Every structure is written in structure tokens, then in C-alpha cells.
Amino acid sequence: EVQVLESGGGLVQPGGSLRLSCAASGFTFRNYAMSWVRQAPGKGLEWVSGISGSGGTTYYADSVKGRFTLSRDNSKNTLYLQINSLRAEDTAVYYCARTSVVSPGSLDYWGQGTLVTVSS
Amino acid sequence: QSALTQPASVSGSPGQSITISCTGTNSDVGGYKYVSWYQQHPGKAPKVMIYDVTNRPSGVSNRFSGSKSGNTASLTISGLQAEDEADYYCSSYTSISTLVFGGGTKLTVL
């Protein structure tokens, strides 16, 4: 069974940092691109960042470029999102999602999300 | 990377059909076949209902269908059921290899 499980969320002060993790199981992790999508309280979905299966290519939304760094360790089947210089507007549930192998535009498995709250 | 445009809300009675539109640009919806639709119930993770404009993943009801014309994609749900009440989001692959979502549409089953 395909599973992705996020962790690392919590309460952090403005300007602080956090590292989110996403542990994957049930599929050959290195063969799949992965993404992070966030959802602010009561708001819509926002794609944040994506990474190729090898980890050699990363993509970012303009809203997080320069502050977020996406990486992966294929030996540990784990995805990481380093978030720096946190702002109040970064408060959201962060979802880890697998990109479909048949379509680069489709996220076919999602975790349950981890909540990041930025507040003093 | 502007969000795709969706109506904020739609509604329909059980058994009826509804359509949700999703408008983008030539750099996303109009330029690629990689449009997806997601269903999200309150407090739950999104679930893909349609991918590549018209394709349904295994296990998704054939009451859900997708189409595209120019820069606008559409999701149609036929034979509305109470369990279809949820938020729906479209997304598209973009010319800079990112994804962009629509603002979401709240579907109410009357």
C-alpha cells in the first residue's frame, strides 16, 4: 500500500526555521517525482515545490523561492523541505504528494499533512 | 504564477449534473493536456478525481468527467449524490515545470 507520512510541523516564531519530512513507503521512491502543497487555514491549495526522482532538479513557487529548499534521500525513502525566514503567511497545513508516473501534472497520493504555525 | 480561476461555489440537487470551470492561460491550461481535478472533504487530504483532462483514476466513479476547450477546463459531475459535497480544485502543469491550482469551488448538494 502506497503511503506518505509527513512530520516536523509545529509552532515557530517569525523569522525562524523548520524542516519538514515526508516518509514514503509502498512504492519505489526513487522512480517518482514528489511535491509539497500547502493550504492556509480556510484557504485553497497552493503548490509549493517539486523535485525529480533523482533529486537533481527542483522547482519552487515564486512565493517561497529563496526561503524553501527541497531535497530527498532515496536511500531512506524520505523527502525533506527546509523552510527558512518563516512568515505569518507561511502558516498552513503542508501536504507531501507523489507525482503520478503517467502524468507530470497529477498528484496521485497525498499524506494527511503537517501543520506549520508561524506566530510570536 | 497566478492561480487558475474557478467559481467560488456551485450547487445542485441530488440526481442533477453540475459543471465547474477552470480558466488559465496559454502557459498552463491551454498549453498542456496535464489538467487534474481534486476533491477535498473537510479535514481530509485532497484526492485526484481526473487527470490529463479526461482520465479517471481507478476507483473513481464514472459520474465524474473532464474536458477542455482552449484555456478553460471543466469538471462535470452527473447524478449528484450527497457524498459529492466537497471542495473541488483544478490544477495544471505549467510552462516552467511547476504546478498551479485553482482557487477552489465549494459544491453544495441541496
Side-chain angles (χ1 to χ4, degrees):
Chain A
E1 180 189 5
V2 172
Q3 288 190 328
V4 291
L5 181 63
E6 306 93 339
S7 61
L11 175 63
V12 61
Q13 292 188 337
S17 297
L18 210 57
R19 189 177 81 158
L20 306 183
S21 299
C22 171
S25 61
F27 63 101
T28 304
F29 185 64
R30 65 179 180 273
N31 289 348
Y32 288 83
M34 301 290 293
S35 280
W36 286 93
V37 176
R38 69 183 180 183
Q39 187 169 34
K43 303 297 184 182
L45 301 174
E46 179 189 15
W47 180 86
V48 169
S49 184
I51 189 167
S52 62
S54 67
T57 307
T58 52
Y59 306 93
Y60 300 94
D62 287 343
S63 58
V64 306
K65 205 171 291 183
R67 298 189 300 121
F68 288 21
T69 302
L70 182 55
S71 62
R72 64 192 295 161
D73 185 338
N74 286 343
S75 68
K76 296 182 177 180
N77 290 349
T78 303
L79 187 70
Y80 303 102
L81 184 66
Q82 178 68 39
I83 308 175
N84 298 329
S85 303
L86 276 157
R87 308 166 179 168
E89 54 264 36
D90 295 319
T91 294
V93 173
Y94 285 73
Y95 293 102
C96 170
R98 189 183 83 167
T99 300
S100 167
V101 71
V102 300
S103 171
S106 177
L107 303 176
D108 60 359
Y109 283 92
W110 296 61
Q112 288 306 303
T114 187
L115 176 62
V116 173
T117 303
V118 183
S119 175
S120 55
Chain B
Q1 298 169 345
S2 298
L4 307 177
T5 300
Q6 299 180 230
S9 63
V10 298
S11 62
S13 299
Q16 289 185 332
S17 295
I18 62 95
T19 297
I20 300 171
S21 62
C22 170
T23 301
T25 69
N26 291 332
S27 296
D28 38 65
V29 175
Y32 302 91
K33 69 171 187 176
Y34 302 127
V35 174
S36 296
W37 290 91
Y38 299 87
Q39 177 191 65
Q40 187 181 34
H41 287 108
K44 301 295 186 183
K47 172 187 175 183
V48 61
M49 305 303 282
I50 295 288
Y51 69 95
D52 290 355
V53 178
T54 61
N55 295 335
R56 273 189 313 277
S58 174
V60 172
S61 171
N62 59 9
R63 298 186 297 104
F64 291 82
S65 62
S67 63
K68 190 184 83 164
S69 177
N71 294 338
T72 298
S74 298
L75 172 71
T76 298
I77 309 173
S78 59
L80 269 179
Q81 299 179 0
E83 67 206 49
D84 299 332
E85 186 162 294
D87 293 326
Y88 290 85
Y89 296 90
C90 62
S91 77
S92 176
Y93 188 77
T94 79
S95 60
I96 54 173
S97 302
T98 62
L99 295 180
V100 61
F101 282 93
T105 298
K106 180 177 181 60
L107 169 62
T108 300
V109 180
L110 302 171

